[in-house]
Amino acid sequence: MRPVAKKPKRTPYPLKEKVSSKINKLVDLDIIERVSGLTRCISPAVFAPKTAKDDVRICVDMRCANESMQREKIPLPTVNE
């Protein structure tokens, strides 16, 4: 896989506090982990407020990372096989 580093998108100022608390919560739950040091791949994240609760939705744009992956071209077996 060739490295892909996209520029991060800016976090809207009204959502900064909610985003940082959500990220800290996800780190505490061991869903995501902090990276210490350099990384070869960077995908931008987009933050949007949820309508039902006082919460924020975190979305990561993985299109460029998915395009850079080298996939194996092995045919899947059929049901009869």
Side-chain angles (χ1 to χ4, degrees):
M1 180 170 109
R2 64 181 163 85
V4 176
K6 301 292 279 182
K7 287 184 181 179
K9 298 189 185 239
R10 291 186 182 215
T11 307
Y13 188 75
L15 296 178
K16 282 189 186 240
E17 189 174 313
K18 292 179 187 178
V19 168
S20 64
S21 66
K22 178 78 169 196
I23 288 175
N24 289 333
K25 179 181 175 184
L26 293 174
V27 168
D28 292 340
L29 294 172
D30 205 25
I31 295 173
I32 61 174
E33 60 185 43
R34 294 190 186 276
V35 177
S36 58
L38 299 175
T39 180
R40 294 171 29 143
C41 296
I42 302 170
S43 295
V46 178
F47 309 103
K50 286 187 178 180
T51 56
K53 301 181 206 173
D54 189 31
D55 200 8
V56 66
R57 176 173 285 123
I58 300 174
C59 304
V60 180
D61 185 7
M62 298 297 293
R63 289 179 290 186
C64 290
N66 288 338
E67 288 173 4
S68 71
M69 295 184 94
Q70 296 175 355
R71 304 194 193 291
E72 294 183 23
K73 297 187 176 166
I74 301 173
L76 293 174
T78 62
V79 176
N80 295 334
E81 294 174 349

